[in-house]
Amino acid sequence: MAPTPPTDAELNVLIRARLAALGIDLDQLSPGTTPDPETGSPGRDSVLASLRSFVRGTVAGLAAYQLPAAGNTDPRLAAALSQQRVPILYPATSTEWRK
C-alpha cells in the first residue's frame, strides 16, 4: 500500500513548525495572498502555498538521492554505500577537536 500524500493542513503544520524552530513567525505577514502595500512582502497564504509546492516537489527528490557507487558494486549494497562518510582532505583537523 502506497503512503498517502500529506494534506495542505498537515503540510502547513510541518512548515510552521520548521520555521518556528528557526525563529520565523509567518503570522507577522499580512493575511491573504495580496502583498503588503508598504513593504511589498507577500501575503501569508501565498508564502504557505509556495512552501507547500517546494516541499511536495523538492524534498522527496532530495531524500531519494543516492551517491553514485562504482560500476561493479552490487546494487543491493549501493544504497548502504551511499551513506558512508565523505572523505576529508585533511582528517587531522576534523579529528583533533573530538579528543
Side-chain angles (χ1 to χ4, degrees), residues 9-84:
E10 291 170 336
L11 281 178
N12 286 348
V13 170
L14 169 79
I15 290 166
R16 284 180 171 273
R18 295 289 297 204
L19 291 176
L22 297 171
I24 300 170
D25 182 14
L26 288 180
D27 291 328
Q28 299 295 316
L29 297 172
S30 59
T33 58
T34 57
D36 186 290
E38 289 184 29
T39 63
S41 62
R44 184 181 328 133
D45 296 338
S46 61
V47 169
L48 280 171
S50 177
L51 290 172
R52 282 193 307 265
S53 174
F54 172 78
V55 169
R56 283 189 174 117
T58 306
V59 173
L62 291 174
Y65 179 76
Q66 290 183 356
L67 292 170
N72 58 355
T73 304
D74 183 0
R76 294 173 296 173
L77 298 176
L81 290 174
S82 73
Q83 301 301 314
Q84 298 296 314

